[in-house]
């Protein structure tokens, strides 16, 4: 277990005040900024001034507060805030990879990311090898002289496989390759940069904001990488321009301060639900269960005290059963039939027909994605045993168990 680092404490140690001493940093709702001296403006465009703001697509003080808090949480030098998780992923990849480059990715990855890697990157002559991220030999074999990047998710969407970040980091370092990790499913409980990832990306839309009221993302990395992303001449984030509105980032920053409490409750509830359903004979995938193939590895990667996260899945074998079950669970008040995750209510969806529908059927089958897989983002229910009873009622009523 990774004992030396507490992400919540890193955030708590930050002293971020409003300009009039407000306990929350002030919201800067300005797209542009004045300069007292024209020379400073020129210097800022050249990237030579620290702490000067020139235009909100470049940097905004509200986004900087959130970026600083996320960098503290991850233990990275810096961070950059984007208007979506996909903007974070695509900007970071396009910043790193040029025409002619190659990257290796887990085949099991969020459907939007899969679509970007498989359908969009070929436009730029960037080639992609899709591998089973738990098969280290297949990763080593996929490395080519032009491999720039290994991309994976800490806990993969939707199969909840665990990426061995320390081992991937060793392989990447040995070959001069960058390791980028999407940690959206398990913030705080795992700190990928502390385990050797070079870049950590997030959909803030999910657990970090936790309210499902906005779309946002972040890229955490070195000062050099964040400076390169925001370079006015050739920075991908600066030039593609997916900047988050400062009002939204100030809201996310406030929600970030309760993330540690929420993650503990999500984890507790998911563990109770996973154990309870497994006892009933349901096929459960949850990395906190000893039956999960990478459970022991996961135990060595988690920060103590946050549990194993709020994401779990069950396999009811057919789409028809999955659809009946989800409809009934919604009617019984278990939660909502909805995509996305990290919400205070439980959300569930049939991955193969929703958030992984971009992945061709034959690839879904090859990676072991059952058409009856129902992915759950377990909510903050005060009485999770009651919710477990409701799920049990639905499963029995539909003769799934
Ligand atoms: N990464 C993961 C693991 C996701 O599940 C998602 C969306 O579901 C994204 C990235 C994309 O995030 P966003 O919807 O904020 O663009």
């Amino acid at each position: 277990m990774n004992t030396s680092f507490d992400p919540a404490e890193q955030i708590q140690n930050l002293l971020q005040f409003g300009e009039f001493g407000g306990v929350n940093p002030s919201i800067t709702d300005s797209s542009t900024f004045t300069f007292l001296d024209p020379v400073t403006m020129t210097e800022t465009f050249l990237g030579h001034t620290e702490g000067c703001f020139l235009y909100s697509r470049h940097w905004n003080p509200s986004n900087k507060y959130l970026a600083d808090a996320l960098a503290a949480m991850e233990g990275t030098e810096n961070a950059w805030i984007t208007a979506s998780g996909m903007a974070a992923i695509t900007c970071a990849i396009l910043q790193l990879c040029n025409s002619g480059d190659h990257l290796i990715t887990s085949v099991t990855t969020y459907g939007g990311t899969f679509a970007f890697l498989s359908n969009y990157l070929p436009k730029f002559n960037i080639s992609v090898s899709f591998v089973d991220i738990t098969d280290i030999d297949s990763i080593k074999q996929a490395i080519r002289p032009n491999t720039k990047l290994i991309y994976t998710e800490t806990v993969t969407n939707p199969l909840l496989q665990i990426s061995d970040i320390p081992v991937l980091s060793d392989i990447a370092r040995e070959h001069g390759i960058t390791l980028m990790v999407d940690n959206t499913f398990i913030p705080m409980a795992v700190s990928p940069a502390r385990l050797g990832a070079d870049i950590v990306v997030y959909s803030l839309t999910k657990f970090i904001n936790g309210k499902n009221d906005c779309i946002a993302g972040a890229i955490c990395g070195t000062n050099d990488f964040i400076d390169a992303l925001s370079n006015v001449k050739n920075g991908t984030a600066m030039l593609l321009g997916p900047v988050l509105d400062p009002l939204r980032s100030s809201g996310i920053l406030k929600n970030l301060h309760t993330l540690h409490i929420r993650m503990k409750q999500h984890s507790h509830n998911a563990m109770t639900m996973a154990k309870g359903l497994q006892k009933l004979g349901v096929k459960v995938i949850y990395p906190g269960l000893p039956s999960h193939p990478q459970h022991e590895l996961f135990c060595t990667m988690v920060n103590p005290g946050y549990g194993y996260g709020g994401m779990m899945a069950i396999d009811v074998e057919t789409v028809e059963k999955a659809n009946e079950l989800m409809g009934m669970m919604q009617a019984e008040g278990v939660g909502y039939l909805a995509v996305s995750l990290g919400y205070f209510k439980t959300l569930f969806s049939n991955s193969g027909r929703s958030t992984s529908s971009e992945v061709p059927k034959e690839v879904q089958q090859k990676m072991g994605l059952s058409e009856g897989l129902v992915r759950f983002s377990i909510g903050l229910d005060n009485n999770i045993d009651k919710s477990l009873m409701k799920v049990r009622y639905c499963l029995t009523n539909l003769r799934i168990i």
Side-chain angles (χ1 to χ4, degrees):
M1 200 174 279
N2 185 9
T3 49
S4 55
F5 186 75
D6 183 357
E9 202 179 313
Q10 304 301 316
I11 296 172
Q12 204 179 333
N13 287 343
L14 285 175
L15 295 177
Q16 296 180 317
F17 292 108
E19 60 189 312
F20 301 108
V23 292
N24 290 310
S26 313
I27 301 167
T28 304
D29 63 344
S30 289
S31 55
T32 191
F33 298 83
T34 57
F35 286 86
L36 296 177
D37 176 358
V39 176
T40 320
M41 180 184 270
T42 310
E43 291 287 305
T44 306
F45 264 89
L46 293 172
H48 295 164
T49 48
E50 183 78 9
C52 283
F53 294 92
L54 60 93
Y55 188 60
S56 276
R57 175 157 47 79
H58 180 248
W59 267 113
N60 174 287
S62 300
N63 290 356
K64 181 82 179 110
Y65 283 122
L66 178 58
D68 287 349
L70 289 168
M73 175 176 99
E74 286 308 313
T76 55
E77 287 176 355
N78 211 338
W80 173 268
I81 305 304
T82 58
S84 69
M86 280 310 294
I89 294 163
T90 56
C91 282
I93 292 176
L94 290 174
Q95 182 67 32
L96 274 168
C97 297
N98 296 313
S99 174
D101 286 342
H102 166 252
L103 68 90
I104 299 168
T105 179
S106 166
V107 66
T108 309
T109 188
Y110 164 60
T113 308
F114 182 93
F116 174 73
L117 296 171
S118 92
N119 308 335
Y120 206 87
L121 280 186
K123 276 201 212 190
F124 299 100
N125 189 31
I126 298 169
S127 54
V128 182
S129 296
F130 293 88
V131 298
D132 172 352
I133 206 68
T134 64
D135 179 355
I136 298 298
D137 283 342
S138 76
I139 297 160
K140 287 183 181 163
Q141 279 160 20
I143 294 173
R144 302 179 193 164
N146 59 340
T147 305
K148 269 282 170 65
L149 175 68
I150 298 176
Y151 180 87
T152 192
E153 296 169 353
T154 309
V155 179
T156 67
N157 185 356
L159 289 182
L160 311 180
Q161 294 166 319
I162 305 302
S163 298
D164 190 338
I165 297 172
V167 165
L168 293 175
S169 164
D170 285 347
I171 296 170
R173 258 173 217 167
E174 196 185 318
H175 293 87
I177 298 169
T178 300
L179 174 63
M180 190 187 302
V181 175
D182 179 341
N183 200 44
T184 298
F185 271 24
I186 189 97
M188 271 193 179
V190 179
S191 304
R194 305 278 306 176
L195 298 171
D198 300 295
I199 298 166
V200 183
V201 286
Y202 276 108
S203 167
L204 303 179
T205 315
K206 313 291 169 24
F207 288 100
I208 290 182
N209 186 48
K211 305 290 184 294
N212 259 299
D213 56 3
C214 72
I215 301 283
I219 304 166
C220 305
T222 60
N223 282 328
D224 283 351
F225 187 65
I226 302 301
D227 285 351
L229 271 171
S230 55
N231 188 296
V232 294
K233 290 200 190 110
N234 53 20
T236 311
M238 180 63 183
L239 299 180
L240 298 188
V243 70
L244 183 65
D245 185 87
L247 198 60
R248 283 302 186 188
S249 61
S250 76
I252 297 170
L253 177 60
K254 282 172 271 194
N255 291 335
L256 180 66
H257 284 274
T258 59
L259 179 63
H260 58 297
I261 304 168
R262 292 185 279 113
M263 283 311 290
K264 288 174 192 177
Q265 186 73 13
H266 283 299
S267 292
H268 166 78
N269 286 356
M271 180 63 104
T272 307
M273 186 66 88
K275 272 187 180 162
L277 293 180
Q278 192 170 57
K279 244 190 208 159
L280 294 172
V282 180
K283 197 168 161 197
V284 180
I285 307 173
Y286 182 60
L289 291 176
S291 58
H292 187 286
Q294 288 102 38
H295 173 69
E296 276 177 30
L297 163 67
F298 199 43
C299 290
T300 66
M301 286 171 42
V302 292
N303 293 316
Y306 298 99
Y308 300 96
M311 300 303 296
M312 56 160 275
I314 63 171
D315 182 3
V316 295
E317 288 171 1
T318 66
V319 177
E320 293 72 26
K321 280 188 201 166
N323 287 346
E324 277 186 327
L325 176 65
M326 293 187 300
M328 192 166 179
M329 287 195 300
Q330 179 160 255
E332 291 298 322
V334 174
Y336 295 139
L337 167 50
V339 295
S340 202
L341 47 124
Y343 191 43
F344 42 78
K345 292 218 177 215
T346 294
L347 303 178
F348 38 82
S349 55
N350 176 222
S351 301
R353 302 291 166 106
S354 58
T355 51
S356 295
S357 57
E358 299 90 338
V359 181
K361 271 265 165 54
E362 63 281 8
V363 181
Q364 290 190 17
Q365 273 164 7
K366 206 169 157 220
M367 72 165 85
L369 173 51
S370 157
E371 62 167 48
L373 191 93
V374 179
R375 189 195 73 183
F376 288 76
S377 165
I378 302 292
L380 299 174
D381 313 30
N382 193 35
N383 188 345
I384 193 67
D385 289 317
K386 223 175 188 174
S387 308
L388 174 61
M389 286 304 118
K390 287 180 185 173
V391 179
R392 180 187 168 170
Y393 170 77
C394 298
L395 288 163
T396 318
N397 204 277
L398 296 170
R399 296 177 195 285
I400 296 174
I401 53 170

